[in-house]
Amino acid sequence: MANRQLFPSFRGNNPPPADTINEAGGVAYALHPKHALAQYAATGCLNHTYYASGEAQLQRVVNLAYEVDAEFVARTAVFCRTRSFMKDMPALLCAVLSLKDGNALERVFHRVMDDGKMLRNFVQVLRSGAVGRKSLGSRPKRLVRQWLERRSDEQVFRAAVGQSPSLQDVIKMVHPKPKDPAREALYGYLIGKPKAGAPLSPLVQAFEEFKRNPGSELPDVPFQLLTSAPLEDRHWMEIARQASWQMTRMNLNTFARHGVFKDRKMTTLIADRLSNPDAIKRARVFPYQLMVAYQNTGDGVPAVVVDALQEAMEIAIENVPRVEGKIYVLPDVSGSMLSPATGHRQGATSKVRCIDVAALMAAAMLRKNPDAEVIPFAESARHVRLNPRDSVMTNAARLAKLGGGGTNCSAPLRELNSRKAHGELVMFVSDNESWMDNRGWGQATATMTEWEGFKKRNPGAKLVCLDIQPYGHTQAAERHDVMNVGGFSDQVFEAVAAFAQSADTCHWVDMIEQVNI
């Protein structure tokens, strides 16, 4: 009699055999180059992750960018900047385009380099030699000069925040031609070669006056330019009054230390700002950034401000789809998910872990779909009782406490099959590094086999695998009923909604291909 463990009975479609090995040693499906590049663009941090170094990620992205056509690289750069809100990755893709296809670079440069930080990132990537050149070259220099020319004196001055390189360094590299005496004076001032009697703008004059006399009126400049001066609590009060939404989120504890919340009106103003729907949309905030702010608030931050962060979270997840039918959300809580979501980098490692992102995504889906069932997993499916009426923050924190153990992506699907569950959508949130259910080479992954079992009972069901780490492979092969999507901005929910609710096949790469350049 044949060994039934080796030759089990199986009814349904035969899933495709795995064609690669993942970083944890398990069998997996390799993503095709366009899809792999899209995944790296949305999740790649170019820092050391649990399984890969920053250098390995960098080389993989550059190689993938040369494997696909320049149009797709350009569209991916726009997509990951304007919709996934990434910083280093779109700058890297534009740097590759400077060598691969200069015309494609010109078409997307000003959409991707939408602020001073992005411009400086682009310059630094080029001069690092990471893409094969250490100088900017004539076309990139011209584009950087155009970037400067398109901005007012005040905008250029406000962009002069940050180092490595500084905007001053960039100006020295590209030698922009001043359009008038005022711009000539500003460039001279920024590079440390002021001209006597030059007509500096009123904002620069106000800034210089404040440096000479801190008792004078606080100028309306980025607060990073003011921190070298001896600021008093009244100055911090004014800084908080003028602060942008993101600056407010990032400096709540600083405001508390400097007495800003002693003023009841200021406390109300800040709480109202943080929970303002229009301000949240303009700030292009990641939901997980709100989680960080919420988790890091000190005792000096008033309860009304902390509550405003929870209100902001509810607004930030408005793109989470409400899906008809039964939904199962499967967040990975295994040991590798305890690593920082954006990787390790000396002096700048995020406190947000992959497990926090997975828990947040699951809690958000539950919030918008109260009938959804959340099944966390590691080496096996785990059970937790969540109340959909609780806030996203509360349920995310509850899930994140389950962390630890090996990775077995097939485990929650196996549980669903064991109880003959029915449903319309199954959504994994994982790093996809399954190894405990490893199978022999040439066989399908255990996840894909279990999915076929689920599909036998639910022929119209769809599977979404949300990957939050950049490794270029998956446990479920891409096909009409399976979508692999990467990232942890709320924009991934747009892709999930389109896939779950449309009768047409609409996958993640398709969305990028539709970006107009």
Side-chain angles (χ1 to χ4, degrees):
M1 178 178 176
N3 185 334
R4 294 182 66 84
Q5 290 183 332
L6 293 177
F7 307 103
S9 298
F10 180 79
R11 294 180 181 178
N13 295 325
N14 289 323
D19 55 12
T20 191
I21 301 295
N22 65 24
E23 276 74 3
V27 295
Y29 300 99
L31 297 173
H32 62 74
K34 283 189 175 181
H35 202 137
L37 180 63
Q39 185 201 32
Y40 274 91
T43 64
C45 49
L46 302 180
N47 296 325
H48 289 261
T49 62
Y50 192 86
Y51 289 106
S53 68
E55 293 78 10
Q57 288 184 57
L58 171 61
Q59 192 57 55
R60 179 72 169 134
V61 171
V62 172
N63 291 344
L64 286 168
Y66 277 104
E67 285 187 54
V68 305
D69 60 272
E71 294 277 316
F72 187 78
V73 176
R75 288 188 169 93
T76 304
V78 172
F79 186 91
C80 72
R81 177 55 188 160
T82 61
R83 299 174 72 175
S84 295
F85 314 139
M86 303 297 276
K87 298 173 184 175
D88 292 350
M89 196 61 69
L92 173 60
L93 293 178
C94 283
V96 172
L97 283 175
S98 72
L99 289 170
K100 182 180 176 73
D101 189 326
N103 291 329
L105 173 63
E106 293 216 27
R107 292 163 63 188
V108 300
F109 183 84
H110 293 287
R111 292 177 63 188
V112 177
M113 309 306 152
D114 56 2
D115 62 23
K117 179 173 179 55
M118 284 302 305
L119 184 77
R120 294 188 293 104
N121 285 353
F122 172 73
V123 171
Q124 180 57 28
V125 171
L126 278 181
R127 72 175 189 172
S128 72
V131 298
R133 66 191 306 171
K134 291 189 177 181
S135 62
L136 267 64
S138 58
R139 192 191 303 255
K141 280 186 178 180
R142 174 168 54 79
L143 290 170
V144 172
R145 286 195 294 266
Q146 288 175 357
W147 189 96
L148 293 165
E149 291 165 0
R150 291 183 179 188
R151 281 153 180 80
S152 67
D153 291 353
E154 182 174 311
Q155 289 172 325
V156 171
F157 180 65
R158 289 181 180 280
V161 174
Q163 300 295 322
S164 301
S166 66
L167 188 66
Q168 295 89 324
D169 295 331
V170 173
I171 291 170
K172 291 177 181 178
M173 289 180 210
V174 302
H175 305 292
K177 184 177 180 180
K179 60 183 178 181
D180 54 37
R183 181 56 63 93
E184 182 180 12
L186 177 60
Y187 288 156
Y189 169 82
L190 289 175
I191 66 175
K193 296 181 179 180
K195 298 184 68 174
L200 288 172
S201 70
L203 185 63
V204 178
Q205 293 181 43
F207 175 62
E208 286 299 309
E209 175 59 27
F210 181 79
K211 289 199 300 183
R212 290 190 297 270
N213 177 20
S216 61
E217 184 178 352
L218 191 73
D220 182 17
V221 300
F223 88 101
Q224 295 93 331
L225 295 174
L226 301 170
T227 52
S228 59
L231 298 176
E232 301 173 2
D233 284 359
R234 63 185 179 88
H235 293 136
W236 281 103
M237 197 82 69
E238 189 58 30
I239 288 172
R241 191 187 310 279
Q242 298 177 6
S244 66
W245 191 95
Q246 285 283 23
M247 188 262 194
T248 301
R249 174 189 68 83
M250 296 170 65
N251 289 277
L252 293 175
N253 291 330
T254 301
F255 291 163
R257 287 196 303 272
H258 293 285
V260 170
F261 295 122
K262 293 177 182 178
D263 186 299
R264 213 175 259 184
K265 290 184 178 179
M266 280 300 305
T267 300
T268 300
L269 183 150
I270 288 174
D272 289 346
R273 178 187 296 155
L274 287 173
S275 57
N276 182 289
D278 292 334
I280 292 168
K281 290 175 183 177
R282 286 195 303 271
R284 301 188 298 185
V285 59
F286 277 119
Y288 86 88
Q289 291 174 320
L290 287 161
M291 175 184 282
V292 175
Y294 178 81
Q295 291 176 340
N296 289 345
T297 51
D299 294 337
V301 179
V304 66
V305 175
V306 178
D307 289 343
L309 289 171
Q310 295 202 66
E311 291 180 36
M313 175 66 81
E314 301 294 335
I315 295 167
I317 65 168
E318 68 178 19
N319 286 344
V320 176
R322 183 179 291 276
V323 180
E324 294 296 327
K326 183 66 176 178
I327 306 171
Y328 300 97
V329 187
L330 317 177
D332 184 349
V333 296
S334 64
S336 62
M337 297 288 284
L338 297 175
S339 62
T342 54
H344 294 274
R345 186 174 66 177
Q346 187 173 2
T349 298
S350 170
K351 292 184 178 180
V352 182
R353 303 165 301 171
C354 293
I355 194 172
D356 297 318
V357 174
L360 174 60
M361 293 297 189
M365 284 293 288
L366 180 64
R367 183 68 168 170
K368 294 296 289 288
N369 299 274
D371 292 332
E373 183 178 349
V374 177
I375 307 176
F377 71 92
E379 70 288 336
S380 61
R382 298 183 179 180
H383 300 279
V384 61
R385 181 181 290 274
L386 300 176
N387 184 347
R389 295 187 177 184
D390 285 344
S391 71
V392 172
M393 298 286 198
T394 300
N395 279 330
R398 196 167 292 154
L399 285 168
K401 289 180 181 178
L402 301 174
T407 308
N408 183 348
C409 286
S410 64
L413 282 174
R414 186 174 297 112
E415 169 160 317
L416 291 176
N417 285 334
S418 70
R419 52 175 149 121
K420 296 180 171 55
H422 291 270
E424 281 65 48
L425 178 68
V426 177
M427 179 176 169
F428 275 93
V429 190
S430 174
D431 62 4
N432 265 319
E433 293 303 313
S434 191
W435 59 272
M436 295 192 74
D437 53 355
N438 199 7
R439 311 183 81 198
W441 181 254
Q443 297 187 56
T445 63
T447 299
M448 202 66 187
T449 300
E450 294 294 338
W451 174 242
E452 286 293 356
F454 189 88
K455 285 281 290 186
K456 184 187 174 202
R457 292 187 313 280
N458 306 277
K462 293 185 177 181
L463 175 65
V464 173
C465 299
L466 172 54
D467 201 320
I468 56 177
Q469 289 279 264
Y471 298 120
H473 47 66
T474 179
Q475 287 296 296
E478 188 86 356
R479 63 185 198 186
H480 73 281
D481 61 331
V482 179
M483 180 177 74
N484 290 279
V485 59
F488 38 83
S489 77
D490 63 340
Q491 288 295 315
V492 301
F493 292 120
E494 180 182 339
V496 173
F499 180 68
Q501 298 171 354
S502 174
D504 299 326
T505 301
C506 180
H507 288 255
W508 189 33
V509 171
D510 299 328
M511 294 180 66
I512 296 175
E513 293 274 23
Q514 292 167 12
V515 171
N516 183 16
I517 60 171

